[in-house]
Amino acid sequence: MGGNSNIKLIDDNGIRIDGRRVDELRPIKIEAGVLKRADGSAYVEFGKNKVLAAVYGPRECHPRHMQDPSKAIVQCKYNMISFSVSDRKRPGPDRRSVEISKIISEAFEYVVFTENYPRTSIDVYIEVLQANAGTRCAGLTAASVALADAGIPMRDLVPSVAVGKVNDQIVLDLQKEEDNFGQADLPLAIIPRTGEVILMQMDGHMTKPEFDKALEMGVGACKKIYALQKDALARRYAIEKVIDEAEEPAAEQTAEG
Ligand code: UDP
């Protein structure tokens, strides 16, 4: 967050440097079930962000001292691949990835019915393949679809997006330059069914009216992302249904033979 409001990131017609209006999302693509060996998976693009999420479990929790006899624990690992950013990212965890992993784990602990799976661990891996600001939101959106794809019972899917302040205006879904030179960045995630906010962070400054506007804009955008998440899962299971139907006659023949 540079906080340098002298750099013109929104023109006089209200158009941003990538051609979007202030309340417009980047193009979003969501695909469920992209990895064969994971119990659940998803691939998400938010503009130039490209993120993969894989879910394993519920499975026996190791190390065992971390087991909780009353519920499952959700362990998320967010990782940026070295080539995902313009300056090569040093491999391995750092302060930022540990923080992002923690807040995403906590968000999912709240939505997953963890009490159904005592002593187990639900492991969520988020790999950022290409980054252009908003990767924690894209990662959370992907991980939520991956959890659903793994068949893990949850209160709801969790859409996530960042809202920010750029050139004294509230803007939706910041891209890299807006994130770098803007005045504020507010990633959030909600449970659409109840309207609860389960992740909110803020970098920079906003007045109370600006914050209210940002929240309203973010919640509205989350509802759009929610529809895309549901659509991705519906497409995934429609494909599976076609495959099942195609395989059925062969199975019957074998049984008769
Ligand atoms: N970034 C980078 N190198 C890093 C970390 C971040 O180039 O080591 C870039 C990347 O494009 C990222 C953006 O800075 O998406 C904003 O990072 P931030 O910490 O705000 O998290 P994000 O917006 O991705 O959730």
Side-chain angles (χ1 to χ4, degrees), residues 80 85 89 96 131-136 176 179 185:
M80 251 179 171
V85 285
K89 152 93 177 55
R96 181 177 168 277
N132 191 269
T135 58
R136 74 194 64 202
K176 185 87 168 76
D179 183 294
D185 179 20

Side-chain angles (χ1 to χ4, degrees), residues 192-211:
R193 229 162 25 84
T194 60
E196 286 165 279
V197 174
I198 56 162
L199 181 146
M200 180 182 277
Q201 299 186 284
M202 179 138 112
D203 185 10
H205 301 278
M206 281 185 196
T207 63
K208 176 73 170 61
E210 283 171 344
F211 174 82

Side-chain angles (χ1 to χ4, degrees), residues 1-7 165 178-184 204-205:
M1 209 50 30
N4 186 346
S5 53
N6 297 328
I7 297 176
K165 182 177 165 186
E178 295 168 334
D179 183 294
N180 286 163
F181 303 112
Q183 296 150 292
H205 301 278

